Amino acid sequence: MNTLSYNDLEKLVKSYAPFDIPKLRRAFDYAKKHHEEQKRASGEPYIIHPLNVAYILASMHADIDTLCAALLHDVVEDTESTLEEIEQKFNKNVRDLVDGVTKMTKLDFNNKKELSAINIRRLIVSLARDPRIIIIKLVDRLHNMRTLEYKSLEKQKSKALETLEIYVPLAYYIGACQIKDELENIAFKYLKPSLYGDINKKREDLKKETKDILEETKKQVEGIFKKNSLKAKLEIRYKDNYSIYKKIITNNKFETIHDLMTIKVLVKNVKDCYTALMLIHENFTPINYRFKDYIAKPKTNMYKSIHTTVFGYDNHLLQFQIRTYDMERVAVFGLTSYWFKYKNNAQNLMKKDLEDNFQFFKSIKEIDSTILDNIEFVSRVKRELFSSNIYVYTMSGEVVELPNGATIIDFAYKIHTDIGNSMVAAIVNDEAVSLDHVLENQDRVRIITDEEAYVPKEEWLNKAITTNARNKIMEFIRENENTEVDKPN
Ligand code: MN
């Protein structure tokens, strides 16, 4: 049973936003009064749910409007309360957040699938309005997943599946990895209980077997760092069950997974990261092809770190993840890490960061503006963004994120419309390929353009899988319908 109380929340918020306590109290009282008669499936008073959601968000140093919205997030859907009243008692900001997290239910939809698609679409496109809406929804889902045991078996399975299909990719894209990891591990437990049990047992056995030698290694590395006057904090971590499962279903044996055991090394600046790396490689034999520098080249969700796998004791492979404390915050919290640094302006910085740096955000906006039908929208997003991705490089080393199965045509249009429109040939890893060539992870791609040949072919439509490329091709064809257009050969 959850024993969290309002006082716990207040204490936590006091530690970083003491002046906001009166408003927090008001939101709590309002929510408590409106949920008074309701109970959760666990038998607890309903208020325990919004209270937990607010508490998790407070541990991420969320601003006061977000915390109010978290406390109030279910009142409009489940009680007599209205958005107008929330605006009047709190402010427009809180109202908009509550509005964003409230599902459409009142509309008279006969079609359940359509209604569910509308709600998923609302959730996904809310990113463009205010990223905090998605963050509240993710935490709402997280608490519901933590308490899923009280629901029927059928509900457990359907919630777990929806979590894996929609919420986990969203959490990944905004870099909220702590939430993502917990969500996918709970979902995995409910969807494949026996497989989960098997993997969990192997993991526990490995932990028992390696606990001492890992502690020993950690001490040794701490000694090496100390001798070289490098200040660092080291943490031991075992790969989680769902990540192990993902490796196993792609034909890896448990024993050969290279990052089952990790020692995380936290240091204060980038220079210290490379010093730590040098010292580790001096003392342990690295596996060269397992070295990754995400500091020089961050992941598309802004994750930064150095990864290197070495031979540890007893031939056990051991991974080191080296990063600064700032990078660690982004690794754990992603976009939400703005809350720690910038109290009042965080949501605007989140939005700007999304627009400037997150490739998936552009794709979502593109699909949203192209596809009217809600069910089609959801299936497109699932196919193009929420299933597995590949990451390829331009010749200048930019990382381009594309869905699995994407071709040269998709790549070219993702770089720039003009490049797509004037493309005549392509080279992948130094070899000439056809334009419908399907790209693979880590490919290096060069597009050859010719302005004289400024004509995309209609047949390309069948060779592109992204909404972006198909839109641009159709746009070109439409615009040139009245002028002279090359017939497809
Ligand atoms: Mn809720």
Side-chain angles (χ1 to χ4, degrees):
M1 278 269 173
N2 201 312
T3 52
L4 188 79
S5 72
Y6 170 76
N7 284 340
D8 298 318
L9 175 66
E10 185 172 301
K11 210 173 133 198
L12 181 56
V13 177
K14 227 177 210 157
S15 72
Y16 71 93
F19 300 115
D20 292 329
I21 297 300
K23 198 170 169 189
L24 184 77
R25 174 95 236 179
R26 264 199 298 131
F28 175 75
D29 289 342
Y30 183 92
K32 192 170 178 226
K33 194 178 105 208
H34 279 82
H35 286 302
E36 196 110 70
E37 306 294 311
Q38 297 170 319
K39 291 241 183 303
R40 293 213 92 206
S42 63
E44 293 167 300
Y46 193 88
I47 189 68
I48 205 79
H49 167 62
L51 185 62
N52 268 279
V53 174
Y55 188 83
I56 299 168
L57 286 160
S59 67
M60 296 150 78
H61 287 200
D63 58 76
I64 185 65
D65 286 344
T66 303
L67 295 178
C68 290
L71 288 167
L72 303 168
H73 82 267
D74 279 330
V75 293
V76 174
E77 209 169 301
D78 298 345
T79 77
E80 298 294 295
S81 164
T82 61
L83 289 169
E84 290 70 32
E85 195 175 88
I86 288 175
E87 176 166 354
Q88 190 198 331
K89 289 214 180 320
F90 299 91
N91 60 32
K92 173 95 170 48
N93 222 323
V94 177
R95 177 215 166 111
D96 289 345
L97 288 170
V98 174
D99 185 25
V101 298
T102 301
K103 276 195 277 192
M104 302 283 232
T105 46
K106 302 209 173 95
L107 294 169
D108 194 22
F109 282 104
N110 297 324
N111 189 339
K112 245 185 126 181
K113 202 176 166 201
E114 168 85 14
L115 178 61
S116 140
I118 289 175
N119 280 320
I120 293 172
R121 182 176 197 154
R122 248 171 83 82
L123 168 69
I124 294 170
V125 301
S126 71
L127 255 183
R129 265 164 67 197
D130 189 335
R132 295 178 299 176
I133 295 170
I134 288 224
I135 300 167
I136 298 171
K137 280 298 251 188
L138 284 172
V139 174
D140 175 34
R141 176 54 60 107
L142 179 60
H143 184 248
N144 284 332
M145 290 300 284
R146 283 182 184 172
T147 51
L148 200 57
E149 59 186 294
Y150 302 105
K151 296 283 186 181
S152 69
L153 203 67
E154 196 194 329
K155 199 105 195 164
Q156 288 175 352
K157 297 265 183 207
S158 75
K159 287 284 164 199
L161 189 63
E162 188 186 55
T163 297
L164 274 187
E165 285 186 340
I166 309 289
Y167 290 82
V168 165
L170 278 173
Y172 172 78
Y173 275 118
I174 65 164
C177 286
Q178 196 176 52
I179 294 176
K180 175 199 138 261
D181 289 350
E182 193 180 341
L183 282 177
E184 65 190 4
N185 277 291
I186 302 174
F188 175 39
K189 193 171 88 185
Y190 283 103
L191 280 175
K192 298 189 185 294
S194 80
L195 200 50
Y196 178 90
D198 290 350
I199 290 177
N200 194 45
K201 182 173 185 312
K202 277 192 173 175
R203 184 175 180 269
E204 289 304 318
D205 289 347
L206 178 78
K207 267 170 110 170
K208 261 183 244 153
E209 184 195 319
T210 56
K211 191 173 167 279
D212 293 342
I213 53 167
L214 260 187
E215 281 297 339
E216 199 52 49
T217 309
K218 181 175 168 243
K219 271 195 204 118
Q220 187 197 350
V221 177
E222 279 166 345
I224 296 165
F225 287 171
K226 207 168 175 196
K227 223 170 73 191
N228 289 275
S229 328
L230 178 71
K231 276 210 175 100
K233 196 175 137 203
L234 274 65
E235 281 169 23
I236 292 171
R237 194 190 149 248
Y238 287 82
K239 199 176 186 70
D240 63 56
N241 290 318
Y242 187 70
S243 307
I244 295 174
Y245 163 72
K246 274 197 302 193
K247 286 276 176 186
I248 288 177
I249 54 169
T250 49
N251 283 325
N252 288 281
K253 276 207 185 109
F254 180 84
E255 296 72 21
T256 59
I257 297 173
H258 74 101
D259 55 356
L260 282 173
M261 296 174 279
T262 294
I263 294 183
K264 200 156 75 180
V265 178
L266 298 175
V267 294
K268 70 172 191 304
N269 58 40
V270 172
K271 193 164 165 254
D272 286 354
C273 290
Y274 290 100
T275 306
L277 175 70
M278 179 188 74
L279 292 169
I280 289 165
H281 281 184
E282 254 174 27
N283 289 277
F284 298 88
T285 310
I287 301 175
N288 279 338
Y289 69 96
R290 287 291 179 211
F291 173 72
K292 295 215 169 91
D293 188 343
Y294 295 119
I295 293 179
K297 196 80 233 168
K299 287 193 184 185
T300 48
N301 66 0
M302 303 301 127
Y303 173 83
K304 287 183 187 176
S305 188
I306 292 172
H307 291 185
T308 187
T309 301
V310 303
F311 291 97
Y313 284 111
D314 273 354
N315 294 322
H316 278 297
L317 296 179
L318 174 60
Q319 186 195 51
F320 284 91
Q321 294 185 0
I322 310 163
R323 50 185 175 258
T324 65
Y325 291 98
D326 274 356
M327 292 172 194
E328 166 72 358
R329 205 164 255 179
V330 174
V332 174
F333 296 104
L335 209 54
T336 72
S337 61
Y338 279 111
W339 272 328
F340 286 97
K341 275 195 154 173
Y342 309 94
K343 282 226 163 61
N344 298 315
N345 199 27
Q347 70 271 24
N348 295 322
L349 292 165
M350 288 177 193
K351 223 168 143 175
K352 189 169 171 355
D353 199 7
L354 269 175
E355 269 158 21
D356 295 350
N357 300 321
F358 287 68
Q359 297 183 21
F360 86 103
F361 186 62
K362 220 174 145 189
S363 307
I364 280 179
K365 287 206 289 195
E366 176 108 40
I367 297 173
D368 185 43
S369 63
T370 309
I371 310 292
L372 224 57
D373 182 74
N374 294 304
I375 293 172
E376 171 67 8
F377 172 87
V378 173
S379 86
R380 280 272 184 125
V381 169
K382 278 190 192 167
R383 200 171 59 228
E384 281 186 43
L385 296 168
F386 290 4
S387 46
S388 58
N389 287 333
I390 55 164
Y391 297 88
V392 298
Y393 296 95
T394 65
M395 292 317 281
S396 60
E398 293 300 316
V399 179
V400 179
E401 184 176 74
L402 288 165
N404 220 341
T407 63
I408 297 287
I409 300 168
D410 294 302
F411 173 88
Y413 280 102
K414 177 121 192 193
I415 304 295
H416 199 281
T417 308
D418 285 344
I419 292 184
N421 285 344
S422 58
M423 158 175 63
V424 289
I427 294 168
V428 172
N429 309 329
D430 303 324
E431 266 182 56
V433 296
S434 62
L435 299 184
D436 59 354
H437 178 83
V438 174
L439 291 165
E440 280 175 39
N441 225 0
Q442 312 289 331
D443 277 345
R444 280 178 306 120
V445 188
R446 179 201 294 268
I447 303 290
I448 316 281
T449 56
D450 178 357
E451 273 168 37
E452 303 285 299
Y454 199 76
V455 179
K457 310 271 190 291
E458 204 169 328
E459 56 170 17
W460 288 3
L461 279 175
N462 304 321
K463 295 169 177 171
I465 68 164
T466 56
T467 300
N468 171 49
R470 294 171 54 84
N471 275 355
K472 299 287 161 54
I473 298 166
M474 284 195 285
E475 212 169 88
F476 189 95
I477 291 169
R478 259 201 312 273
E479 274 169 19
N480 292 276
E481 241 162 17
N482 300 326
T483 56
E484 205 185 317
V485 176
D486 268 4
K487 286 265 173 295
N489 6 346

